[in-house]
Amino acid sequence: IGLRHWQRVASDLHLQSEWLIDGVRVMATAMPHYAAAVLAQMERDGLSHPTLTKLTQQLQQRAPRCLALIGC
């Protein structure tokens, strides 16, 4: 989802686009770290599954692309 898409969502929801885009930026920046931390904690607790590892990897790979799409 690119910048103009988020701007359209903001407009449709009667939100300030800067506010929404800043929120997306914060989430995309934080998500890789949090996903890795949650996965590590789950593994310490004895919970592991290839799908969880793959999900974490995908979040870590895609978050920077999301940031690039919104101009960060």
Side-chain angles (χ1 to χ4, degrees):
I1 298 175
L3 181 61
R4 68 180 179 88
H5 300 105
W6 286 114
Q7 290 169 334
R8 175 67 189 259
V9 168
S11 176
D12 290 348
L13 297 175
H14 306 286
L15 300 171
Q16 292 181 349
S17 63
E18 297 83 18
W19 178 83
L20 180 64
I21 293 163
D22 283 345
V24 170
R25 184 178 299 116
V26 167
M27 286 187 281
T29 301
M31 187 63 67
H33 168 73
Y34 287 129
V38 169
L39 179 63
Q41 182 62 50
M42 291 176 70
E43 289 173 345
R44 283 192 297 275
D45 292 343
L47 301 170
S48 65
H49 192 278
T51 301
L52 297 173
T53 302
K54 185 67 174 176
L55 176 62
T56 300
Q57 291 169 343
Q58 289 296 311
L59 286 168
Q60 291 171 327
Q61 290 173 6
R62 292 181 184 204
R65 285 190 250 163
C66 291
L67 288 169
L69 286 171
I70 61 172
C72 293

